[in-house]
Amino acid sequence: QLRKQSALVTYEVLRAKIPVDEKKVDCPLFFIARNNDHIISPRIVERIAKKYDAPIRYLDGNHYIFSNYKPVADIIYDDIKDL
């Protein structure tokens, strides 16, 4: 059975300040936002994708539950294929 997400985990993820030098990121990026994610909301994923001028995809579900992994794998594969 699943439990509610920990408020402490949510707080730690949202408040973490992890420095990244965007100028050193030289590989293609794309992001997947989960519509029902309570820890990393689609809005946060959108901001990060925009920061890197990277495409973003939206899928139903939560960030760590892939009950049906195939659509997610297909999206990742399609983006890699298009590089």
Side-chain angles (χ1 to χ4, degrees):
Q1 290 192 3
L2 301 175
R3 297 182 182 193
K4 289 184 179 182
Q5 297 185 73
S6 165
L8 180 58
V9 170
T10 302
Y11 177 80
E12 289 175 351
V13 168
L14 294 176
R15 298 293 179 225
K17 299 283 186 182
I18 302 170
V20 174
D21 185 353
E22 293 87 4
K23 295 173 189 150
K24 291 183 179 180
V25 178
D26 60 358
C27 63
L29 299 173
F30 69 94
F31 294 85
I32 297 174
R34 303 292 289 211
N35 292 326
N36 305 104
D37 196 328
H38 299 289
I39 292 180
I40 303 173
S41 73
R43 193 179 74 225
I44 292 171
V45 179
E46 287 170 6
R47 285 191 348 225
I48 297 168
K50 187 181 285 188
K51 178 179 184 176
Y52 290 98
D53 193 28
I56 184 171
R57 310 290 185 266
Y58 299 88
L59 299 174
D60 288 333
N62 200 303
H63 71 280
Y64 62 93
I65 299 173
F66 288 87
S67 57
N68 184 7
Y69 75 91
K70 185 141 177 36
V72 178
D74 288 342
I75 287 171
I76 294 168
Y77 177 71
D78 288 342
D79 276 12
I80 291 170
K81 212 170 49 175
D82 291 341
L83 290 177

